[in-house]
């Protein structure tokens, strides 16, 4: 009997030791917070805010359509070890998030757990349906258009949300997260308004005035006052720089897009979307709709078609040939060519302003 | 002398008075400058405050305007609905996708909806032409039905978390029988424990056994119009599916790859290869799944399965059936062009050992291999080769070759055309038949995403 008990204990010890041999990772705990994001934009912002205290992985590579990432079991393995899961929300990830979270068997990152962060809280939302919706309208999102990261103001909100959650999960480094957030916001605000303006006025005030539509008047009044006091103080007048100045000459320019990914970007820079190549969200273009788009573009003299690289360019090229418009293909996510969130927006601004010239 | 002293005193007084007045004037000038600075600072602060308030007021006005618009749209809509009811005309949806709206969805509404499960309904319509096998009994295997169109199945799905410990998925189906009647059935209904420790997960209820790949597909999720021949032959049209419990474990490994071990204990009610409805034994199914992400574009999955249980081949003894399976799936999906191009190659090999009463053990096997190529956003072609022996007689065997075209009208509906040629020999004699399938599947509601 004793021999039987002894052999059972020995067998149990063998199994345990095999488990530890085959899983050396379980013995090597890292003191960095392990973050997994659904998109590369979120990974870029999380890296900027988390700094040296986090290790960030994105399941999306930035090259694919973020609506159609597939729930590969390898993503479940990444999520399994995550301390924090960050998603865009607004049902962008409805096709794969649930499967990955459940498959990860990680209780820390399940919905409503502290390790699950939907960064859409507090963002400026567009196109929130106000009546009954159904799929005759295409692949509409009941909570609103989810491409909100393309508004740099929402980029600030995302970074602030991530910082708040990092401080909650890792209070020992709260001061570092605050410092990183401030540096990220300054960089973003400088890219948006220009370094001089962001430094002189401060990002918060600039955004308040920009959202309220009073920024132009503020700059004008300020400069008048400066010149009244000292007509030779031209070096002291405030001026726009950055993305705002690049796109300011093209305010109210009319643009055709492939998919309704761009309304946030257009809203921020006062551009106008006059139509989409998709007849309805998620429905590929058909000949009748393409003809309609061509007629609209001709009648309204639209000169630019804006689209992402993961859509087929053939339809856009066909429309461009008939209308003389330029096709601007830009990624809406961080990828191999645009290395971070600010560079991604900068690339869109630069390519679009070049095309609109 | 006195006059001199008086003049001297007057001079001193005058001198100090002048100095004191001069000092006073200096102090006044500094105060004035300070005051001017303070006033100008105050003016600047007031101006900033005014600007801030103006911005806030403007934002609030915009919000009020939007709320008014929404209210008007809602009122207009209810008016239209009332008018539509009166005139028996369908109402036109309005304001459903308002550009520029910055309002939030009512949190109360979302909270109420959150308690409702995700509900979906899927219709599976099929037209079958050519020589359609009439029945499953040995005598009727080669008899044929006339071409027919039928709603093969309607599937209703309900899923939601039940409590902090797990979630439930219920799949109810109504299937069309050969006599034209419809039979309701619980296809699956199980509770999944999602918060178990040590990377474990458990299911309890009725579910498809995790055996290979094709056995797990619901009808609407199959990449073909029918199940492969060996799956139908060894497990029947309903597949390996019964009530029981299952536990699965993500096995830790040095490569950090996905390695899942699943063990289930279910009733062995499978008619085709196990004991059927009269049995009181259990069926044990083990599955090991390996998934390799070769790159962002290529993935491979290798699985091994084993099922064992008593079968219904005799009244005496304890005749058993063992089934071993190997499955291999290879996928290619380029990242940038993933919406338009992909390849899936899926193959399974099954070995079957069935104790036959008085005849010893019958060894049989079967396999299928399927290749699907998506060549446009909505279009894909596929081909499949099947081979199977019969579990009760390895002498009997069938081969089939299928080819087809799938058109995905949207994410929620597809059309499929499939041609199938089958040859071989079964219980009723030689088989040589051609079939054509035209399938249309349509989904409404919120259906859970399918496994990769």
């Amino acid at each position: 009997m004793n021999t039987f008990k002894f052999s059972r204990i020995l067998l149990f010890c063998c199994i345990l030791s095999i488990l530890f041999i085959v899983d050396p990772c379980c013995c090597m705990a890292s003191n960095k917070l392990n973050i997994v994001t659904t998109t590369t934009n979120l990974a870029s912002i999380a890296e900027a805010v988390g700094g040296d205290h986090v290790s960030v992985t994105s399941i999306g590579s930035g090259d694919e359509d973020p609506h159609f990432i597939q729930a590969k079991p390898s993503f479940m393995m990444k999520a399994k070890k995550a301390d924090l899961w960050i998603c865009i929300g607004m049902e962008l990830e409805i096709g794969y998030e649930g499967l990955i979270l459940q498959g990860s068997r990680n209780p820390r990152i399940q919905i409503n757990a502290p390790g699950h962060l939907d960064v859409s809280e507090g963002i400026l939302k567009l196109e929130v349906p106000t009546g009954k919706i159904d799929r005759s309208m295409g692949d509409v999102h009941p909570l609103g258009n989810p491409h909100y990261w393309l508004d740099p103001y929402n980029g600030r909100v995302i970074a602030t949300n991530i910082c708040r959650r990092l401080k909650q999960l890792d209070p020992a480094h709260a001061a570092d997260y605050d410092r990183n957030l401030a540096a990220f916001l300054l960089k973003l605000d400088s890219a948006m308004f220009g370094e001089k303006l962001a430094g002189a006025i401060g990002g918060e005030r600039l955004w308040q005035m920009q959202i309220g539509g009073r920024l132009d008047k503020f700059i004008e009044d300020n400069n008048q006052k400066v010149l009244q006091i000292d007509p030779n103080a031209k070096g002291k007048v405030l001026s726009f720089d950055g993305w705002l100045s690049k796109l300011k000459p093209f305010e109210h320019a009319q643009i055709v897009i492939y998919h309704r990914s761009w309304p946030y970007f257009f809203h921020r820079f006062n551009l106008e979307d006059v139509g989409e190549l998709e007849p309805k969200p998620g429905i590929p273009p058909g000949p009748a709709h393409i003809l309609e788009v061509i007629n609209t573009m001709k009648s309204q003299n639209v000169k630019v078609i804006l689209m992402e690289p993961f859509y087929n360019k053939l339809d856009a090229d066909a429309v461009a040939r008939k209308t003389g418009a330029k096709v601007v293909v830009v990624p809406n996510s961080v990828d191999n060519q645009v290395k971070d969130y600010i560079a991604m927006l900068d690339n869109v601004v630069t390519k679009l302003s070049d095309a609109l010239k | 002398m006195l006059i001199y002293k008086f003049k001297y005193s007057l001079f001193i007084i005058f001198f100090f008075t002048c100095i004191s007045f001069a000092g006073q004037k200096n102090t006044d000038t500094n105060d004035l400058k300070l005051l001017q600075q303070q006033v100008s600072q105050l003016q600047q602060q007031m101006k900033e405050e005014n600007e801030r308030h103006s911005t806030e007021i403007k934002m609030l006005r915009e919000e009020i305007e939007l709320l008014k618009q929404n209210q008007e749209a809602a009122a207009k809509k209810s008016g239209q609905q009332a008018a539509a009811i009166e005139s028996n005309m369908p109402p036109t949806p309005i304001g459903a996708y308002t550009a520029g709206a910055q309002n939030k969805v009512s949190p109360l509404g979302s909270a109420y909806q959150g308690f409702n499960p995700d509900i979906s309904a899927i219709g599976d319509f099929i037209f079958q032409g050519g020589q359609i096998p009439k029945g499953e009994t040995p005598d009727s295997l080669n008899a044929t039905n006339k071409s027919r169109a039928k709603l093969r199945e309607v599937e209703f799905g309900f899923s939601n978390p039940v409590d902090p410990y797990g979630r439930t998925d219920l799949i109810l189906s109504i299937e069309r029988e050969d006599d034209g009647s419809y039979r309701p059935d619980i296809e699956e209904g199980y509770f999944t424990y999602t918060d178990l420790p040590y990377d474990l997960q458990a299911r309890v209820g009725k579910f498809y056994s995790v055996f290979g790949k094709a056995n797990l597909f619901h009808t609407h999720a199959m990449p073909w119009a029918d199940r492969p021949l060996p799956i139908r032959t060894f497990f029947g049209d309903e597949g390996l599916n019964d009530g029981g419990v299952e536990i699965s474990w993500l096995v830790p490994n040095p490569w950090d790859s996905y390695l899942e071990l699943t063990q289930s204990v279910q009733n062995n009610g499978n008619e085709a290869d196990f004991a059927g409805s009269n049995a009181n034994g259990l069926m044990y199914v083990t599955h090991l799944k390996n998934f390799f992400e070769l790159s962002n574009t290529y993935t491979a999955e290798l699985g091994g399965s084993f099922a064992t249980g008593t079968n219904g081949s005799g009244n005496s003894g304890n005749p058993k059936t063992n089934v071993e399976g190997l499955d291999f799936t290879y996928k290619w999906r380029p990242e940038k062009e993933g919406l338009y191009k992909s390849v899936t190659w899926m193959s399974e090999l099954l070995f079957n050992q069935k104790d036959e009463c008085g005849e010893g053990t019958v060894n049989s096997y079967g396999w299928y291999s399927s290749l699907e190529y998506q060549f446009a956003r909505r279009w894909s072609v596929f081909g499949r080769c099947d081979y199977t022996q019969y579990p009760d007689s390895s002498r009997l065997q069938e081969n089939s070759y299928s080819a087809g075209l799938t058109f995905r009208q949207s994410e929620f509906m597809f059309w499929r055309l499939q041609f199938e040629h089958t040859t071989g020999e079964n219980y009723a004699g030689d088989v040589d038949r051609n079939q054509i399938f035209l399938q249309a599947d349509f989904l409404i509601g919120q259906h859970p995403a399918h496994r990769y």
Side-chain angles (χ1 to χ4, degrees), chain B residues 97-114:
Chain B
Y97 206 61
T98 316
Q102 291 181 11
N103 53 338
K104 290 181 180 176
V105 173
S106 157
L108 193 60
S110 304
Y112 278 130
Q113 284 170 12

Side-chain angles (χ1 to χ4, degrees), chain A residues 37-268:
Chain A
T37 65
T38 54
T39 71
T40 48
N41 296 310
L42 293 178
S44 167
I45 299 174
E47 271 169 1
V49 177
D52 297 334
H53 304 305
V54 299
S55 156
V56 187
T57 321
S58 165
I59 61 159
S61 70
D63 282 330
E64 72 281 80
D65 185 340
H67 296 86
F68 295 105
I69 293 174
Q70 293 185 318
K72 294 179 189 171
S74 48
F75 296 159
M76 296 169 190
M77 294 305 290
K78 286 179 181 170
K80 178 173 166 271
K81 290 180 286 180
D83 300 304
L84 177 61
W85 168 269
I86 306 178
C87 62
I88 292 286
M90 294 176 78
E91 298 198 347
L92 180 84
E93 297 101 341
I94 194 169
Y96 49 92
E97 189 191 13
L99 279 175
I100 295 174
L101 292 183
Q102 189 179 328
S104 75
R105 302 159 193 226
N106 179 351
R108 295 189 301 273
I109 59 165
Q110 300 302 315
I111 292 171
N112 297 326
H116 184 276
L117 175 63
D118 174 345
V119 287
S120 66
E121 191 189 333
I123 58 141
L124 276 177
K125 289 182 184 173
L126 294 179
E127 298 178 350
V128 180
T130 53
K132 184 182 184 309
I133 59 165
D134 60 46
R135 291 201 180 119
S136 67
M137 302 158 79
D139 197 5
V140 291
H141 293 268
L143 301 178
N145 188 327
H147 303 87
Y148 59 83
W149 67 88
L150 289 166
D151 177 352
Y153 175 78
N154 285 335
R156 289 183 116 249
V157 180
I158 293 170
T160 311
N161 286 342
I162 290 175
C163 180
R164 196 179 303 129
R165 188 59 61 92
L166 287 177
K167 281 165 38 181
Q168 187 188 335
L169 294 176
D170 180 21
H173 297 113
D176 291 343
Y177 296 136
D178 277 333
R179 201 166 28 250
N180 293 343
L181 174 68
F184 173 79
L185 295 184
L186 181 64
K187 201 174 163 194
L188 182 64
D189 297 340
S190 301
M192 175 74 183
F193 300 103
E195 268 180 48
K196 198 176 156 189
L197 204 57
I201 310 295
E204 287 289 339
R205 268 190 75 203
L206 284 169
W207 278 109
Q208 264 186 0
M209 289 188 283
Q210 209 274 339
I211 290 167
R214 295 183 55 83
L215 187 57
D216 289 345
K217 191 160 187 317
F218 169 79
I219 302 276
E220 202 179 302
D221 291 351
N222 182 80
N223 291 348
Q224 268 181 10
K225 197 176 144 194
V226 169
L227 292 174
Q228 268 174 9
I229 296 166
D230 181 3
N232 297 321
K234 283 187 181 167
K236 290 182 183 173
V237 297
L238 297 173
S239 62
F240 288 115
D241 198 1
W243 301 333
L244 215 51
S245 77
K246 276 189 183 169
L247 286 175
K248 196 142 194 64
F250 312 110
E251 276 190 349
H252 307 296
Q254 294 184 318
I255 297 167
V256 161
I257 55 180
Y258 192 103
H259 176 73
R260 287 198 69 78
S261 325
W262 301 100
Y264 286 94
F265 186 85
F266 286 8
H267 174 75
R268 182 58 55 215

